[in-house]
Amino acid sequence: MQQTDRVLLSGNEAVALAARRTGMALGSGYPGTPSTEILEDFGGMGGRAQWSPNEKVALEVALGAAFGGARALVTMKHVGLNVAADPLFTAAYTGVVGALIVVSADDPGMASSQNEQDNRRYAVAAAVPMLEPSDSQEAFDFTLRAVEISEKWKIPVILRMTTRVCHSKTVVRPVGEMPAPAPRFEHDIAGRVMIPAHARPAHRRLREKIAQIAAWNETSGLHRVIDGDRSLGIITSGISYVHVREAVPQASVLKLGMTYPLPMEAARKFAAGVDRCTVIEEGDPYLVESLRAGGIEVTGKPDMYRFGEFNVGRVRRILAGDTTPEPAPPRGKPPALCLGCPHRTVFGVLSKLKCIVAGDIGCYTLGVLPPYQAMDSCVCMGASIGVGLGLRQVLPPEQARQVVSVIGDSTFVHSGITGLVEMVYNPPPTGHVVLILDNGTTAMTGLQEHPGTGRTLTHETTGRVSYEDLARSLGIRNVHVVDATKDESAFEKLLSDSLSADELTLIVARRPCLLATARIKAYEQAASAGTRK
Amino acid sequence: MMEKDVSSGVTNVVIAGLGGQGVLKASDILAQVAFDEGLDVKKSEVHGMAQRGGSVTSDVRFGSEVFSPMVPAGEADFVVVMAPEEVEGSKRYLKAGGVMIIPDDVPVTSLDSPRSLNVALLGVLSAYLPLPESSWLTAVKASLAEKLHEANVKAFSLGRSVGREKQGSSAR
């Protein structure tokens, strides 16, 4: 492709392309809508892309690469950053050598998530610079700028995307590339070994970096002013910017690029030059609170617009001060477990046995819907096991024996293993049953590989984690592998017996996802053809 | 300084259907045709849970300059619906005087494969848009495996002639 060619890309594709153009040595992450395609595209373009068991490990791997002088990209959905928050906060202290770009793909409106947390708060909390692209062009450009900032100040940078930026396709002219330095390790014990004696000065260094970046950001070129009618000035960023330009094309706009640290003087000057200055931001009132704390007089949105994603219509309503109830969009056909989905049999049995189901995150969360309605909790990745154990610990025995933890294969590898350790270490009086729904793929996010499939992100054969061997090695004596669809009554009897056995049991209900079966077969054939060569 | 209302030159299309019907494929083809004609184009949809057989919509907007990737309710020039049960709910996107293209416009029995319905309905849409037929055919072929080309080119042409009739009758 010519450097100046015009291409139609999703925001995710644009980040992947920029990652290639900046010579990222490694892309790591865990699949999560709307971030998933970034690494798949990066891998497809020839980059070294790999799924980690979870976001914490992914960020640590990327951090190691950046310590080694390489550029690294780590991608996750917004709730993934909760998992990766531990390394992130201290990586801000240690800093990096090669660029470390953390993509947080937020999901305002929860198209496919369990909450709509606003990860701009993480930038403030961890003291890590944050850039917010508005479209695919900026997703490309800002990835390059993020590399520049990360290496200039030796600090991780968060690239905050949202669902509409990730998945909308817009026209991009991908101009520019930044050859990467060769990786090489240099010792820096005081800089990277965060014992208190080293961390105290590291925290001071971090605050000094942020102060420098804030001053630099005033003239960084990452924000711009659209001069319009001075009766109304709007400060905005990310996807909200494009809605604003359409809703009020005549208004003056300060469009922010780096939203932490903020260019406060640029904002002050802009606000002073308009009659009325208002902030249009999706999600939390982050910008409005920050600007007000800086003594800039701005108005925000009514609280009802904190919920859900923005569109042009909602921006118009906010600007008109309209707080009348919004018309509910007509309910379309809700998603459902596919016909022929192996989870269907399992949820039929869970429903029949009137189980108390501590559920988890994945396609199988749809087991909550009629006709099954066989799920009683779903909180975060891996929570099924901890929540199930907590219920078993306190409920009267007859109710406790109805409790089962239900978790998917990819989710189990992500955050279920420590739950299994908890089960062995603090066994409830009535024992417990963990049911792994192993469909051989990460189905919900679009059939990604994981450590339990034994194939890499790009589907080559690699080491495979065996859940049953893992459970046995932990000392769980009752380990069963079944195909519930093949023999439903045997599965029902096994589950029923296990629930009331007062012992610790792991059942792996194994049958490939119907959508993945053909692909899995093709990968296996390719692998065996490769072995024969 | 007043800027002109840039959104006035934008064509808004909403494509609606159920997961697995090829809604996203259809919107990709449309976006590609507009892109190949040198227009600014934005395309938006929601992935993830909705894919599991639920309602899916995809917005495509093109013109000299497009801002938001999402078609505001009541501003779609065209709504293309692939599933009969989605017709009613999709009406809210349509602007007054906009054109609704529904699955009945191209009876499935007239198609070699019901899976070509998405491309056939794009054919209907194409009759209303000032985008060259050659660009459409190029984009259709580029987005599908070669063994599917014949059936889909046929479906597109059938849809396009249906669209021409439909347009003619509505003009009268």
Side-chain angles (χ1 to χ4, degrees):
Chain A
M1 183 183 357
Q2 292 291 310
Q3 284 258 324
T4 51
D5 272 357
R6 179 179 170 270
V7 282
L8 185 59
L9 298 179
S10 70
N12 284 348
E13 289 170 319
V15 171
L17 181 59
R20 287 295 283 159
R21 291 279 184 85
T22 52
M24 296 275 180
L26 182 73
S28 58
Y30 181 80
T33 311
S35 70
T36 313
E37 298 85 358
I38 300 172
L39 284 190
E40 294 183 315
D41 293 333
F42 180 64
M45 293 171 191
R48 181 194 290 193
Q50 49 194 50
W51 295 131
S52 294
N54 66 31
E55 295 85 355
K56 177 179 185 290
V57 176
L59 198 147
E60 290 155 352
V61 169
L63 179 62
F67 280 165
R71 289 178 182 159
L73 172 77
V74 55
T75 70
M76 59 200 70
K77 68 183 295 169
H78 59 340
V79 286
L81 198 52
N82 299 336
V83 180
D86 203 356
L88 176 71
F89 277 62
T90 305
Y93 278 30
T94 62
V96 292
V97 179
L100 174 57
I101 309 304
V102 181
V103 176
S104 165
D106 292 14
D107 189 14
M110 297 172 275
S112 193
S113 302
Q114 69 270 37
N115 76 25
E116 56 181 338
Q117 68 185 53
D118 187 334
N119 278 9
R120 293 178 301 174
R121 305 287 198 189
Y122 266 118
V124 183
V128 170
M130 169 175 282
L131 302 180
E132 286 192 79
S134 294
D135 57 19
S136 304
Q137 180 70 59
E138 286 191 347
F140 180 87
D141 294 342
F142 283 11
T143 303
L144 268 65
R145 298 301 305 269
V147 169
E148 173 198 337
I149 295 161
S150 183
E151 290 185 354
K152 183 168 179 186
W153 279 282
K154 310 288 178 203
I155 192 169
V157 174
I158 299 176
L159 188 70
R160 178 185 181 252
M161 316 267 285
T162 55
T163 301
R164 295 289 173 174
V165 176
C166 290
H167 284 161
S168 295
K169 283 192 177 179
T170 73
V171 178
V172 181
R173 287 179 195 278
V175 179
E177 57 187 325
M178 299 165 68
R184 185 187 151 73
F185 187 77
E186 301 282 353
H187 293 281
D188 178 9
I189 291 169
R192 296 199 200 107
V193 183
M194 287 297 108
I195 56 172
H198 295 163
R200 287 182 197 114
H203 186 197
R204 291 175 191 279
R205 283 198 301 277
L206 172 61
R207 295 298 160 186
E208 176 55 28
K209 285 181 189 178
I210 292 295
Q212 285 177 18
I213 295 168
W216 173 84
N217 192 23
E218 296 291 346
T219 55
S220 64
L222 285 162
H223 55 268
R224 59 195 154 92
V225 172
I226 289 91
D227 272 319
D229 185 338
R230 302 209 168 233
S231 63
L232 175 66
I234 296 173
I235 299 178
T236 186
S237 68
I239 193 70
S240 302
Y241 165 73
V242 291
H243 301 322
V244 163
R245 289 305 308 281
E246 182 159 336
V248 273
Q250 74 280 7
S252 289
V253 178
L254 170 61
K255 189 242 178 260
L256 299 170
M258 187 193 283
T259 48
Y260 181 81
L262 284 165
M264 293 300 281
E265 296 316 309
R268 198 182 311 280
K269 190 174 155 214
F270 175 80
V274 294
D275 298 342
R276 181 169 75 89
C277 190
T278 193
V279 173
I280 297 289
E281 59 183 325
E282 213 170 45
D284 286 0
Y286 160 68
L287 288 176
V288 75
E289 284 173 3
S290 307
L291 294 168
R292 280 179 181 160
I296 301 169
E297 208 175 303
V298 287
T299 54
K301 60 188 176 185
D303 207 44
M304 62 185 284
Y305 297 104
R306 184 180 186 140
F307 308 97
E309 69 172 353
F310 276 5
N311 52 41
V312 174
R314 294 190 88 199
V315 169
R316 285 182 185 136
R317 283 176 60 104
I318 294 168
L319 291 169
D322 188 347
T323 54
T324 59
E326 297 176 273
R331 292 290 300 166
K333 183 169 178 279
L337 291 171
C338 303
L339 289 171
C341 171
H343 300 331
R344 282 184 168 234
T345 323
V346 172
F347 280 101
V349 171
L350 291 168
S351 179
K352 187 177 168 191
L353 295 180
K354 299 188 169 38
C355 289
I356 297 170
V357 178
D360 226 301
I361 309 271
C363 283
Y364 52 94
T365 316
L366 295 170
V368 71
L369 300 175
Y372 309 108
Q373 294 177 286
M375 193 166 290
D376 296 285
S377 71
C378 168
V379 180
C380 67
M381 297 286 284
S384 58
I385 301 183
V387 168
L389 288 167
L391 287 167
R392 281 258 183 179
Q393 295 285 9
V394 300
L395 290 177
E398 68 281 7
Q399 248 198 332
R401 291 191 184 99
Q402 291 174 273
V403 178
V404 56
S405 295
V406 175
I407 185 166
D409 48 341
S410 186
T411 309
F412 175 76
V413 178
H414 180 288
S415 288
I417 296 171
T418 44
L420 221 51
V421 173
E422 166 74 7
M423 179 167 90
V424 172
Y425 186 55
N426 293 311
T430 61
H432 190 46
V433 179
V434 172
L435 177 56
I436 298 180
L437 302 181
D438 179 11
N439 62 1
T441 186
T442 316
M444 180 88 272
T445 48
L447 310 177
Q448 284 72 33
E449 306 287 0
H450 62 76
T453 71
R455 285 180 301 275
T456 64
L457 182 145
T458 43
H459 315 294
E460 281 98 34
T461 306
T462 184
R464 186 178 83 81
V465 172
S466 159
Y467 322 125
E468 48 274 36
D469 289 352
L470 188 67
R472 286 190 198 103
S473 76
L474 290 174
I476 298 167
R477 279 191 298 275
N478 307 305
V479 178
H480 308 276
V481 180
V482 297
D483 181 343
T485 305
K486 208 168 170 184
D487 193 345
E488 185 177 337
S489 55
F491 170 69
E492 185 183 327
K493 182 171 187 316
L494 172 66
L495 182 61
S496 174
D497 292 349
S498 302
L499 284 167
S500 54
D502 291 357
E503 290 178 6
L504 302 181
T505 301
L506 177 78
I507 302 173
V508 180
R510 180 167 291 155
R511 188 179 176 90
C513 167
L514 201 64
L515 302 177
T517 312
R519 292 192 201 191
I520 291 172
K521 208 164 271 173
Y523 301 143
E524 283 170 352
Q525 276 167 1
S528 66
T531 325
R532 277 199 298 273
K533 260 192 292 205
Chain B
M1 185 185 73
M2 297 284 286
E3 289 195 18
K4 81 179 183 71
D5 182 2
V6 285
S7 63
S8 62
V10 171
T11 300
N12 293 323
V13 182
V14 173
I15 303 180
L18 297 175
Q21 279 197 305
V23 170
L24 306 188
K25 179 73 83 180
S27 65
D28 271 331
I29 293 169
L30 171 59
Q32 190 63 42
V33 177
F35 174 80
D36 289 343
E37 288 306 300
L39 298 168
D40 190 18
V41 55
K42 290 190 177 176
K43 177 192 118 98
S44 179
E45 70 253 341
V46 169
H47 297 205
M49 259 211 167
Q51 286 182 319
R52 299 285 167 262
S55 303
V56 179
T57 64
S58 183
D59 298 0
V60 182
R61 318 185 72 193
F62 53 91
S64 52
E65 187 175 21
V66 182
F67 284 119
S68 175
M70 294 140 77
V71 175
E75 294 187 21
D77 300 282
F78 303 93
V79 176
V80 180
V81 191
M82 298 185 182
E85 57 268 52
E86 296 294 305
V87 171
E88 198 52 44
S90 303
K91 285 181 179 164
R92 69 193 182 99
Y93 297 109
L94 201 62
K95 73 174 187 188
V99 175
M100 189 97 175
I101 294 166
I102 57 173
D104 284 350
D105 286 343
V106 184
V108 169
T109 48
S110 63
L111 297 169
D112 288 355
S113 158
R115 295 185 64 86
S116 303
L117 179 67
N118 58 348
V119 171
L121 295 180
L122 280 182
V124 181
L125 174 70
S126 76
Y128 293 86
L129 298 174
L131 302 167
E133 185 171 8
S134 56
S135 284
W136 280 102
L137 293 174
T138 305
V140 166
K141 286 179 186 167
S143 74
L144 295 165
E146 203 173 336
K147 62 178 180 186
L148 302 173
H149 286 185
E150 197 189 330
N152 281 283
V153 167
K154 224 170 119 183
F156 180 84
S157 303
L158 178 68
R160 193 169 167 89
S161 56
V162 168
R164 288 212 167 109
E165 279 171 36
K166 193 170 147 130
Q167 193 184 18
S169 63
S170 67
R172 279 194 295 272

